[in-house]
Amino acid sequence: MSAVPQPQPEVSAVPSPPVEACADCGVNLTGPYCAQCGAKRFTRDEQQFSPYMKKLLLERLHLDGRLWRTLWLLVTRPGFLTVEAHSGRFGPYVSARKLFLLVGAAYFLFGSGTFYRLEGLMGASVQRYESYVEHSARQLGVAPAVHREHLEARFQRVNKLAQLAGVMLLAGALPLLYRRPRRYFGEHLTFALHVAVFRFLIGAVGQPLRLVLDTWVPSMALVNTVFIVYLGLALQRVYGGSHLATWSKAVVLGLVTIVTVFLSIGAGMTSVFFSWP
């Protein structure tokens, strides 16, 4: 007799997990990160106090670590970060755009409250400036202190925009001096941003020296000399060429940058004394 087949137990279907869409682009998630845009899967558990503070701390330490490493390499190895960016190695460093925004914001924020105010730049003409503020404040019917801060904010805004235009001018001058091999504008702009950040850093060192010596001449000479030397070393590393040609171009670009700084200050002052409604 053949064995009677025993009935097999029914296998219940295992329910598949619900499909979750990416909160940013809407593509179905298959893992902790979106395969389309790279966004991390959002869970409400991460909003609890312990996970939230842990994530915040890790992100801050990671940014600070990369920031200090980037600044150290920027100062000690001129042109190195630009070469790394041109080679596609962005991970270990803060990008040139973000670095320019961070350092530039700190430079103007710190300087605007101390030695980089309009009154400090007026020098011997500060009394005439105060008379102008009081006279224009009476005409507008506002308090002189309020009007002074309004003019100061206008000067800072125009000066910052003019200095940003100076960075673009430097990036535009580079392809005229280095035509071979041909490079994209973004590559020249990366170099210009790194150089501008270095100028912010040495400017932060040189301007307090002006307060101690009560004159602009030594601090300006020191800052501009160091800047041109740095510029020559950075050009040599990034663009190459003979030493004579490199240092000649460094002097030209350095003078362009120095003139741009003076023009940006002049543009800020012009916006104050020839103000518009």
Side-chain angles (χ1 to χ4, degrees):
M1 292 180 60
S2 60
V4 178
Q6 299 294 326
Q8 298 294 326
E10 295 184 0
V11 179
S12 59
V14 178
S16 59
V19 177
E20 182 179 350
C22 174
D24 288 337
C25 66
V27 173
N28 292 338
L29 294 172
T30 57
Y33 292 92
C34 177
Q36 178 70 23
C37 67
K40 191 177 184 300
R41 181 194 296 266
F42 174 78
T43 59
R44 291 194 66 246
D45 293 340
E46 295 180 355
Q47 306 304 306
Q48 298 179 18
F49 178 79
S50 180
Y52 187 89
M53 296 305 297
K54 180 179 179 181
K55 180 181 179 181
L56 178 64
L57 182 61
L58 289 176
E59 287 180 350
R60 181 60 182 269
L61 290 175
H62 181 60
L63 175 61
D64 288 348
R66 287 195 303 146
L67 177 61
W68 292 119
R69 171 180 169 81
T70 303
L71 289 175
W72 174 255
L73 291 172
L74 178 80
V75 174
T76 59
R77 302 183 66 181
F80 173 79
L81 291 176
T82 305
V83 173
E84 291 287 280
H86 290 176
S87 302
R89 291 184 287 270
F90 304 102
Y93 320 110
V94 178
S95 68
R97 295 184 297 272
K98 183 179 293 186
L99 189 66
F100 177 80
L101 293 175
L102 289 173
V103 177
Y107 176 77
F108 283 109
L109 179 63
F110 176 68
S112 298
T114 54
F115 45 76
Y116 202 65
R117 292 181 65 85
L118 183 56
E119 294 93 330
L121 295 172
M122 294 301 299
S125 303
V126 65
Q127 293 299 330
R128 296 177 60 185
Y129 172 68
E130 291 296 332
S131 300
Y132 168 77
V133 171
E134 294 178 2
H135 175 71
S136 56
R138 285 196 300 269
Q139 288 184 325
L140 295 173
V142 297
V146 175
H147 187 51
R148 184 182 296 107
E149 289 303 316
H150 173 73
L151 294 177
E152 180 68 32
R154 175 177 293 175
F155 167 76
Q156 296 291 341
R157 181 171 62 253
V158 174
N159 182 29
K160 293 172 188 176
L161 291 174
Q163 292 211 30
L164 178 59
V167 176
M168 302 298 292
L169 178 63
L170 177 60
L174 285 167
L176 299 178
L177 298 176
Y178 292 96
R179 299 191 178 187
R180 295 290 184 272
R182 185 178 179 182
R183 298 174 184 267
Y184 293 110
F185 179 77
E187 296 176 302
H188 296 299
L189 182 58
T190 298
F191 178 87
L193 290 173
H194 284 145
V195 168
V197 171
F198 179 79
R199 184 165 183 85
F200 285 147
L201 295 177
I202 60 172
V205 175
Q207 289 181 359
L209 182 62
R210 175 258 173 186
L211 296 180
V212 175
L213 301 177
D214 197 26
T215 177
W216 280 103
V217 177
S219 61
M220 286 177 58
L222 175 63
V223 167
N224 291 328
T225 301
V226 173
F227 175 71
I228 291 177
V229 171
Y230 180 91
L231 188 57
L233 296 174
L235 287 172
Q236 187 68 54
R237 185 189 296 271
V238 176
Y239 294 95
S242 66
H243 291 287
L244 179 59
T246 297
W247 288 104
S248 300
K249 294 173 182 178
V251 172
V252 172
L253 293 174
L255 292 176
V256 169
T257 304
I258 294 169
V259 170
T260 301
V261 172
F262 281 104
L263 290 177
S264 65
I265 295 175
M269 290 183 174
T270 301
S271 71
V272 170
F273 294 106
F274 297 93
S275 57
W276 54 87

